[in-house]
Amino acid sequence: MSSHLVDECAAPPKNCFRLVVLGTARVGKTAIVSRFLFNQYDDQYTPTIEDFHRKMYRIRGEVYRLDILDTSGVHPFPAMRRLSFLTGDLFILVYSVDNYESYMEVMRLREQILESKASCKTRTAAPPMIIAGNKADRPESEREVLYDEVAKWVSTVKKCAFLETSAKKNGNINELFQTLFELAKLPPEMSPSLHRRVSIGDQAWEAAKKGISFYPRGKQDDNPLGVVSPHARRPSLRSDLIEAEAKAEQEQRRAEKPSIPKISSALSPYRSQYRSCTWMSLLRQAFQGLVRPAGGQVCRLQVQHRCYNAPAAGHVQVDMNSDTGVATVRLNRPPVNSLNLDVLTELSIALEKLETDRSCRAMVLASAVPGIFSAGLDIMEMYKSTPERCVAFWRALQDAWLNLYGSRLITMAAIEGHSPAGGCLLAMSCDYRVMADGKFQIGLNETRLGIVAPFWFTDVMLCTIGHRETEKALQLGAMYSAQQALSIGLVDKVVPADQVMSTVQTELKSWLQIPDAARVITKTSMRKQVLDRLSSQKEKDAQFFADFILRESVQKSLGAYIASLQKRKS
Ligand SMILES: CC/C=C\C/C=C\C/C=C\C=C\CC(=O)SCCNC(=O)CCNC(=O)[C@H](O)C(C)(C)COP(=O)(O)OP(=O)(O)OC[C@H]1O[C@@H](n2cnc3c(N)ncnc32)[C@H](O)[C@@H]1OP(=O)(O)O
């Protein structure tokens, strides 16, 4: 085998595929992946957060890459989950034959994947999928899901196959992958039994990368080979998007659609609509199916590559200190860190990633923009928008908030500037708040815009400053100075602006001394009720928001508020 194969960049985009494995907890997703990659089985159950594997193949002279995303069945990380739906090319949906609920989840998952794909205008709707009824070795007396029932359902759905498997006994695992690869029209040699597995140690890997052959001199091997990459790391969101777009371009070419408009002209009208949007964010929205290019046609994607290669938008900067286990997350959307769909999506994903990073114990939420923590929700997302965009925007806000308020991490807000409305919500959702003294203000000012703080904003404020103060604060849309905020308990400490960060670090020291498990259980029990109240009615809440915000009277108030902001400036 040449160094060619182990060079992960050697596979052209058309030969790169992402396989996503989904299903509820304890159905054997990781066991199936482990059988496929290493022919190993581990009886111990360790919940997966999200594992990423990469297998490289050389088949008939070409290099192929198969990325496998082994997802969590336990933790509710909606943004990461949605991303896995969007970026997956082929799927294994796993249930356990002794658990009917896990089968129902598979049916739901299939719907959600199709929904996600359909919302993304550049992708084909039905990706190849296989349903794995795992733990088929279990005694019949424990079986809750009948083979015939699943087979009947699968026979009615497109591009879908079904097999019962046993990762434990290695039953049908080879067949599972082979069937899926056939369905996806991938080379059959990618199946475990049809190529030679090459195990590659670190030394050989390094040698191969330098172009030094690690095969005995003169030995030529043209048979199909597969090697599991020892250094696979999950690509960043940005790389995910670049690759997904490259794929979409291929699909587009394959479909031979005529007269594709250039993305630059197709998306231009949206630039004025979304103030200070970068190309990156527009592309992401287009990718999410939220911005429809002019004429409803699919955009040429070559130009998108150029845009991605420009400096990253990076509305959310994460700096992880692996010595202390403390991450600093900075909002970075000048001029005022207003929270639009793009920022909220990035924030959600950043929080989810930190949540799954075992080395991370604490997070400081701060701003990269001087004088501003966050100006709250981007008013332009709520003004003259469409119902679909409003719902998508609200969902992104819900997810970001659920991730922050429900985080296992110690969360501290370093408020070095103004923090109205949504900015105040973010700060209140942290465990501790340090605010800069001086001219800056904080509070939930929604009524001043002619809108009403949603129930979960209110809940968080109630938990922070109590009923009486909340009642006054919300009705008046009160904005408080740092000293006033301190006096009602809205912030925990006020210090000169240049000492905010150091004060947070000092305070963190005492929080980090508390054992995580005890602290997390306590935090969860204190916050569960508030979290559950939104979690149980997310869709209703999103729909309610869209209906409310698009009312003529509310739009009029927002319009007047925007004008007053601009007037104040002039
Ligand atoms: C029954 C109810 C059920 C359901 C709920 C339904 C609905 C509730 C819905 C929504 C809840 C929303 C919560 C929110 O977060 S709303 C957002 C509220 N935010 C604000 O009011 C902040 C307004 N901004 C300011 O006060 C100031 O800008 C500042 C103090 C933050 C900073 O002042 P500066 O002097 O430093 O900066 P400016 O010159 O004012 O601004 C620069 C620039 O940015 C624009 N801008 C400011 N804030 C926002 C924003 N939030 N969104 C979008 N754009 C914003 C501002 O207009 C300037 O733009 P130009 O340079 O003039 O173009």
mmCIF file of all heavy atoms in Angstrom, residues 7-31:
data_model
loop_
_atom_site.group_PDB
_atom_site.id
_atom_site.type_symbol
_atom_site.label_atom_id
_atom_site.label_comp_id
_atom_site.label_asym_id
_atom_site.label_seq_id
_atom_site.Cartn_x
_atom_site.Cartn_y
_atom_site.Cartn_z
ATOM 1 N N ASP A 7 -2.957 9.061 3.196
ATOM 2 C CA ASP A 7 -3.123 10.507 3.112
ATOM 3 C C ASP A 7 -4.621 10.779 2.958
ATOM 4 O O ASP A 7 -5.214 10.514 1.925
ATOM 5 C CB ASP A 7 -2.345 11.033 1.897
ATOM 6 C CG ASP A 7 -2.598 12.513 1.681
ATOM 7 O OD1 ASP A 7 -3.332 13.108 2.490
ATOM 8 O OD2 ASP A 7 -2.058 13.046 0.706
ATOM 9 N N GLU A 8 -5.209 11.313 4.027
ATOM 10 C CA GLU A 8 -6.660 11.411 4.053
ATOM 11 C C GLU A 8 -7.209 12.379 3.019
ATOM 12 O O GLU A 8 -8.385 12.397 2.721
ATOM 13 C CB GLU A 8 -7.115 11.792 5.462
ATOM 14 C CG GLU A 8 -6.705 10.706 6.429
ATOM 15 C CD GLU A 8 -7.098 11.009 7.851
ATOM 16 O OE1 GLU A 8 -7.844 11.953 8.087
ATOM 17 O OE2 GLU A 8 -6.644 10.259 8.725
ATOM 18 N N CYS A 9 -6.311 13.245 2.502
ATOM 19 C CA CYS A 9 -6.776 14.209 1.505
ATOM 20 C C CYS A 9 -6.783 13.586 0.125
ATOM 21 O O CYS A 9 -7.206 14.200 -0.844
ATOM 22 C CB CYS A 9 -5.895 15.447 1.502
ATOM 23 S SG CYS A 9 -5.891 16.249 3.087
ATOM 24 N N ALA A 10 -6.259 12.367 0.029
ATOM 25 C CA ALA A 10 -6.097 11.764 -1.292
ATOM 26 C C ALA A 10 -7.433 11.371 -1.914
ATOM 27 O O ALA A 10 -7.507 11.193 -3.121
ATOM 28 C CB ALA A 10 -5.185 10.551 -1.197
ATOM 29 N N ALA A 11 -8.455 11.215 -1.094
ATOM 30 C CA ALA A 11 -9.733 10.809 -1.657
ATOM 31 C C ALA A 11 -10.434 12.025 -2.259
ATOM 32 O O ALA A 11 -10.624 13.017 -1.572
ATOM 33 C CB ALA A 11 -10.606 10.194 -0.572
ATOM 34 N N PRO A 12 -10.800 11.948 -3.538
ATOM 35 C CA PRO A 12 -11.514 13.087 -4.130
ATOM 36 C C PRO A 12 -12.912 13.197 -3.504
ATOM 37 O O PRO A 12 -13.446 12.181 -3.023
ATOM 38 C CB PRO A 12 -11.600 12.719 -5.606
ATOM 39 C CG PRO A 12 -11.438 11.244 -5.654
ATOM 40 C CD PRO A 12 -10.599 10.843 -4.468
ATOM 41 N N PRO A 13 -13.521 14.410 -3.488
ATOM 42 C CA PRO A 13 -14.835 14.576 -2.845
ATOM 43 C C PRO A 13 -15.853 13.528 -3.264
ATOM 44 O O PRO A 13 -16.647 13.065 -2.456
ATOM 45 C CB PRO A 13 -15.271 15.976 -3.268
ATOM 46 C CG PRO A 13 -14.003 16.700 -3.551
ATOM 47 C CD PRO A 13 -13.017 15.670 -4.029
ATOM 48 N N LYS A 14 -15.800 13.124 -4.556
ATOM 49 C CA LYS A 14 -16.814 12.155 -5.003
ATOM 50 C C LYS A 14 -16.654 10.803 -4.310
ATOM 51 O O LYS A 14 -17.559 9.986 -4.319
ATOM 52 C CB LYS A 14 -16.771 11.999 -6.528
ATOM 53 C CG LYS A 14 -15.569 11.230 -7.054
ATOM 54 C CD LYS A 14 -15.670 11.043 -8.557
ATOM 55 C CE LYS A 14 -14.436 10.386 -9.167
ATOM 56 N NZ LYS A 14 -14.091 9.056 -8.739
ATOM 57 N N ASN A 15 -15.478 10.557 -3.736
ATOM 58 C CA ASN A 15 -15.242 9.269 -3.059
ATOM 59 C C ASN A 15 -15.302 9.379 -1.533
ATOM 60 O O ASN A 15 -14.840 8.491 -0.829
ATOM 61 C CB ASN A 15 -13.876 8.711 -3.456
ATOM 62 C CG ASN A 15 -13.839 8.262 -4.902
ATOM 63 O OD1 ASN A 15 -14.875 8.279 -5.568
ATOM 64 N ND2 ASN A 15 -12.677 7.864 -5.387
ATOM 65 N N CYS A 16 -15.797 10.502 -1.037
ATOM 66 C CA CYS A 16 -15.871 10.688 0.425
ATOM 67 C C CYS A 16 -17.317 10.567 0.882
ATOM 68 O O CYS A 16 -18.208 11.219 0.334
ATOM 69 C CB CYS A 16 -15.339 12.065 0.820
ATOM 70 S SG CYS A 16 -13.599 12.256 0.405
ATOM 71 N N PHE A 17 -17.528 9.753 1.892
ATOM 72 C CA PHE A 17 -18.894 9.513 2.353
ATOM 73 C C PHE A 17 -18.947 9.579 3.869
ATOM 74 O O PHE A 17 -18.001 9.172 4.540
ATOM 75 C CB PHE A 17 -19.381 8.131 1.882
ATOM 76 C CG PHE A 17 -19.301 7.987 0.397
ATOM 77 C CD1 PHE A 17 -18.176 7.411 -0.192
ATOM 78 C CD2 PHE A 17 -20.314 8.467 -0.409
ATOM 79 C CE1 PHE A 17 -18.073 7.303 -1.572
ATOM 80 C CE2 PHE A 17 -20.215 8.372 -1.787
ATOM 81 C CZ PHE A 17 -19.099 7.788 -2.374
ATOM 82 N N ARG A 18 -20.086 10.059 4.371
ATOM 83 C CA ARG A 18 -20.265 10.050 5.830
ATOM 84 C C ARG A 18 -21.440 9.140 6.188
ATOM 85 O O ARG A 18 -22.558 9.318 5.716
ATOM 86 C CB ARG A 18 -20.528 11.454 6.372
ATOM 87 C CG ARG A 18 -20.769 11.393 7.882
ATOM 88 C CD ARG A 18 -20.819 12.745 8.506
ATOM 89 N NE ARG A 18 -19.500 13.367 8.502
ATOM 90 C CZ ARG A 18 -19.253 14.541 9.076
ATOM 91 N NH1 ARG A 18 -20.234 15.199 9.661
ATOM 92 N NH2 ARG A 18 -18.042 15.055 9.061
ATOM 93 N N LEU A 19 -21.122 8.192 7.032
ATOM 94 C CA LEU A 19 -22.140 7.256 7.514
ATOM 95 C C LEU A 19 -22.496 7.661 8.948
ATOM 96 O O LEU A 19 -21.622 7.783 9.802
ATOM 97 C CB LEU A 19 -21.552 5.834 7.476
ATOM 98 C CG LEU A 19 -22.246 4.725 8.248
ATOM 99 C CD1 LEU A 19 -23.688 4.547 7.807
ATOM 100 C CD2 LEU A 19 -21.502 3.409 8.048
ATOM 101 N N VAL A 20 -23.786 7.873 9.199
ATOM 102 C CA VAL A 20 -24.210 8.291 10.540
ATOM 103 C C VAL A 20 -25.007 7.156 11.176
ATOM 104 O O VAL A 20 -25.908 6.585 10.557
ATOM 105 C CB VAL A 20 -25.059 9.583 10.467
ATOM 106 C CG1 VAL A 20 -25.487 10.031 11.860
ATOM 107 C CG2 VAL A 20 -24.264 10.695 9.791
ATOM 108 N N VAL A 21 -24.633 6.807 12.396
ATOM 109 C CA VAL A 21 -25.304 5.711 13.100
ATOM 110 C C VAL A 21 -26.158 6.325 14.212
ATOM 111 O O VAL A 21 -25.652 7.035 15.078
ATOM 112 C CB VAL A 21 -24.271 4.729 13.693
ATOM 113 C CG1 VAL A 21 -24.966 3.502 14.266
ATOM 114 C CG2 VAL A 21 -23.253 4.321 12.640
ATOM 115 N N LEU A 22 -27.454 6.041 14.153
ATOM 116 C CA LEU A 22 -28.382 6.682 15.099
ATOM 117 C C LEU A 22 -29.266 5.639 15.778
ATOM 118 O O LEU A 22 -29.489 4.548 15.257
ATOM 119 C CB LEU A 22 -29.283 7.656 14.343
ATOM 120 C CG LEU A 22 -28.633 8.912 13.742
ATOM 121 C CD1 LEU A 22 -29.379 9.359 12.502
ATOM 122 C CD2 LEU A 22 -28.578 10.035 14.763
ATOM 123 N N GLY A 23 -29.818 6.008 16.902
ATOM 124 C CA GLY A 23 -30.729 5.128 17.636
ATOM 125 C C GLY A 23 -30.698 5.505 19.099
ATOM 126 O O GLY A 23 -29.822 6.276 19.520
ATOM 127 N N THR A 24 -31.627 4.976 19.892
ATOM 128 C CA THR A 24 -31.648 5.337 21.312
ATOM 129 C C THR A 24 -30.457 4.706 22.039
ATOM 130 O O THR A 24 -29.712 3.903 21.463
ATOM 131 C CB THR A 24 -32.938 4.861 22.020
ATOM 132 O OG1 THR A 24 -33.062 3.473 21.777
ATOM 133 C CG2 THR A 24 -34.163 5.585 21.547
ATOM 134 N N ALA A 25 -30.315 5.047 23.300
ATOM 135 C CA ALA A 25 -29.210 4.519 24.097
ATOM 136 C C ALA A 25 -29.345 3.007 24.270
ATOM 137 O O ALA A 25 -30.456 2.471 24.286
ATOM 138 C CB ALA A 25 -29.213 5.192 25.466
ATOM 139 N N ARG A 26 -28.236 2.331 24.385
ATOM 140 C CA ARG A 26 -28.163 0.908 24.720
ATOM 141 C C ARG A 26 -28.724 -0.033 23.656
ATOM 142 O O ARG A 26 -29.180 -1.127 23.973
ATOM 143 C CB ARG A 26 -28.892 0.627 26.043
ATOM 144 C CG ARG A 26 -28.201 1.230 27.241
ATOM 145 C CD ARG A 26 -28.951 0.898 28.510
ATOM 146 N NE ARG A 26 -28.140 1.222 29.661
ATOM 147 C CZ ARG A 26 -27.257 0.392 30.212
ATOM 148 N NH1 ARG A 26 -27.093 -0.817 29.731
ATOM 149 N NH2 ARG A 26 -26.553 0.769 31.244
ATOM 150 N N VAL A 27 -28.772 0.399 22.403
ATOM 151 C CA VAL A 27 -29.256 -0.524 21.379
ATOM 152 C C VAL A 27 -28.092 -1.223 20.669
ATOM 153 O O VAL A 27 -28.305 -2.161 19.905
ATOM 154 C CB VAL A 27 -30.163 0.186 20.343
ATOM 155 C CG1 VAL A 27 -31.478 0.603 20.959
ATOM 156 C CG2 VAL A 27 -29.448 1.363 19.702
ATOM 157 N N GLY A 28 -26.866 -0.741 20.904
ATOM 158 C CA GLY A 28 -25.693 -1.409 20.332
ATOM 159 C C GLY A 28 -25.076 -0.682 19.147
ATOM 160 O O GLY A 28 -24.414 -1.315 18.312
ATOM 161 N N LYS A 29 -25.264 0.628 19.068
ATOM 162 C CA LYS A 29 -24.711 1.390 17.935
ATOM 163 C C LYS A 29 -23.182 1.278 17.915
ATOM 164 O O LYS A 29 -22.579 0.973 16.898
ATOM 165 C CB LYS A 29 -25.099 2.883 18.048
ATOM 166 C CG LYS A 29 -26.586 3.141 17.999
ATOM 167 C CD LYS A 29 -26.913 4.624 18.016
ATOM 168 C CE LYS A 29 -26.596 5.314 19.334
ATOM 169 N NZ LYS A 29 -27.322 4.816 20.483
ATOM 170 N N THR A 30 -22.578 1.550 19.078
ATOM 171 C CA THR A 30 -21.118 1.516 19.141
ATOM 172 C C THR A 30 -20.595 0.108 18.899
ATOM 173 O O THR A 30 -19.556 -0.086 18.250
ATOM 174 C CB THR A 30 -20.653 2.060 20.512
ATOM 175 O OG1 THR A 30 -21.173 3.382 20.650
ATOM 176 C CG2 THR A 30 -19.146 2.092 20.640
ATOM 177 N N ALA A 31 -21.335 -0.901 19.394
ATOM 178 C CA ALA A 31 -20.906 -2.295 19.206
ATOM 179 C C ALA A 31 -20.900 -2.651 17.717
ATOM 180 O O ALA A 31 -19.986 -3.337 17.230
ATOM 181 C CB ALA A 31 -21.831 -3.224 19.982
#
